[in-house]
Amino acid sequence: MVIGVMQIELDIPGAMSLKDKRRVVKSIKDSCHRHHMVSVAEVGALDVWNKAVLGVSVVSNSGMVAGQILDRVTDRVRSVLDCEVVDCSREILRGDSLVPTESDDDLDGLEREMYARAEAVV
């Protein structure tokens, strides 16, 4: 399992209110989800009317495919006329590095139970 995550910081110069900002952000979120089957959420600058920070995630069986999907999402967001991409960062996570081992001392009991249930399902 491979998880691609990306954070995109946007400047929305035409927004004069939070309502204007929400219109642009909702359009981007819906378009990216519809065309690329990714999850998109506004993750930062929630009360700033001319700035938005979006989190994007995709799950794939290949790091190359996840990277290509995130590239296409970036291109789509850059093509939106109502906003400008200020910053974009991404990371590809592999499934074997996501599951904690028994030696992880920083896990509390609830987290250990959640991982145990997830492993039982697989």
Side-chain angles (χ1 to χ4, degrees):
M1 175 175 67
V2 176
I3 300 172
V5 293
M6 179 168 57
Q7 181 172 307
I8 304 174
E9 185 178 331
L10 302 174
D11 183 37
I12 309 171
M16 298 301 167
S17 66
L18 286 174
K19 186 176 181 179
D20 291 340
K21 172 190 171 178
R22 281 194 302 268
R23 178 186 53 80
V24 173
V25 169
K26 182 172 177 15
S27 172
I28 291 170
K29 287 170 48 178
D30 292 347
S31 175
C32 289
H33 177 70
R34 182 173 52 253
H35 289 98
H36 305 291
M37 295 306 294
V38 295
S39 296
V40 184
E42 188 174 5
V43 297
L46 299 175
D47 294 330
V48 181
W49 50 265
N50 61 350
K51 181 179 175 184
V53 180
L54 301 179
V56 181
S57 65
V58 61
V59 176
S60 177
N61 61 350
S62 162
M64 184 177 76
V65 172
Q68 290 172 343
I69 292 170
L70 293 178
D71 286 342
R72 289 196 302 267
V73 169
T74 303
D75 291 342
R76 177 169 295 278
V77 173
R78 287 186 194 277
S79 71
V80 174
L81 299 176
D82 294 335
C83 67
E84 298 174 16
V85 175
V86 175
D87 189 32
C88 183
S89 62
R90 72 181 198 180
E91 189 172 347
I92 305 295
L93 307 169
R94 307 241 177 257
D96 55 347
S97 65
L98 298 175
V99 180
T101 63
E102 292 295 324
S103 64
D104 287 336
D105 296 329
D106 57 340
L107 294 179
D108 65 14
L110 182 60
E111 288 175 321
R112 286 188 192 282
E113 183 178 331
M114 287 179 11
Y115 285 117
R117 287 183 186 175
E119 288 176 358
V121 171
V122 175

